[in-house]
Amino acid sequence: MFAKIDDAARKMLSGTILGKSEMVELLGMDTDSDECAYLREKACECARIVTQNKAYLWGAVGVDYIGCAASCRFCSFGKEWGLVKGERIYTLPEIIAQAREYVESGVHFIVLRTTQYYPLDALATFARAIRKEVEGDYELIVNPGDFDLQTANNLYENGVNGVYHAIRLREGTDTPFRPEYRIKTLSAIKSSPLNLIHLVEPVGPEHSYGEIADRFLCAVEHGAYISGVMARIPVKGTPLGDIPQLSDNEIAKITAVLRLSGGSVVRHICVHPASGAAVQSGANVVVVETGAIPRDSRPSSGKWLNFDALSAKKLFEENGFTVG
Ligand code: SF4
């Protein structure tokens, strides 16, 4: 296995994307083995080379805390689960103030996250206003529902740099959307000047390594600029709420395999929630979030789990990365 890890690292550094069977073999190794420790070390070495040791913070603003009619089986906003009590929709001045605070505290990716049916023209208006009001060298990302090429171009023209969009694990089974429906949006993003941000998510013990590899390779095929892994957080009261969360070490192993699998396509590997283990395994982006959080049953007026920009910076700096 050590030779296969070396081979994967060599391929990554020469820009070669791993195949599904190579990924599944690496993902299948025992999380507590010496081989896995070596895999994580190699992935971190590769991350330092391709990122020039630079890490970035992602600051999410959850714009709307409302019941979402899609009712995905892992999401606290699902209308059917009845967890959303007292809707809260953040106003443009609140969003601008949060974006400013993020930029001032060193966040590079400002992400406006909304539920599936939130109006896209409002997001274009927000983007324009944020660009006008918040100075700085940041990338503005939106995370809405599905849309076409015209909307993608309109978002770009209003100051959006990228879109978070993912075919979730078990899309069409744990969600009401057929993967083909989501692929249309991925194709619209690819045909536009927008960057695609597509993590493999929400990963839990119910998913096979083949499913994880398939989702990552689909993100690569659509040219993902940031990929990575997001754990499914079990929210009590959702249908998947009693299935436990994966351990930090298992998420770190997946992080390492994704770092070695994306060739020269995927530039950044993000992990959520953040951990030292994942940063030591090739992740160079972590998430700070506030407002409406689909992993929690109530909105967060501060930063989710008290993980703020300062904590994120400290995590990277302790592990030898410079925060960009
Ligand atoms: S994951 Fe998105 S689409 Fe699904 S219920 Fe939550 S907000 Fe709606």
Side-chain angles (χ1 to χ4, degrees), residues 68-72 74-78 114-116 168 176-177 182 294:
C68 173
S71 293
C72 300
F74 42 77
C75 178
S76 64
F77 300 155
T114 48
T115 56
Q116 178 74 17
R168 280 76 58 86
F177 308 105
R182 310 277 290 178

Side-chain angles (χ1 to χ4, degrees), residues 50-115:
V50 298
T51 66
Q52 289 151 348
N53 229 31
K54 274 195 125 178
Y56 298 88
L57 312 188
W58 161 324
V61 185
V63 173
D64 57 333
Y65 173 74
I66 62 164
C68 173
S71 293
C72 300
R73 289 162 53 81
F74 42 77
C75 178
S76 64
F77 300 155
K79 208 170 199 164
E80 274 186 54
W81 327 136
L83 299 176
V84 173
K85 306 270 190 279
E87 297 187 343
R88 169 86 162 88
I89 298 178
Y90 290 78
T91 62
L92 180 57
E94 286 176 309
I95 294 166
I96 290 173
Q98 184 54 66
R100 186 176 291 118
E101 189 223 287
Y102 275 147
V103 172
E104 284 171 357
S105 55
V107 170
H108 181 75
F109 299 109
I110 305 295
V111 182
L112 305 186
R113 187 179 53 226
T114 48
T115 56

Side-chain angles (χ1 to χ4, degrees), residues 127-141:
R128 201 166 53 245
I130 292 170
R131 285 292 179 203
K132 188 163 166 249
E133 300 288 332
V134 184
E135 281 184 22
D137 179 23
Y138 56 91
E139 293 182 55
L140 190 55
I141 292 166

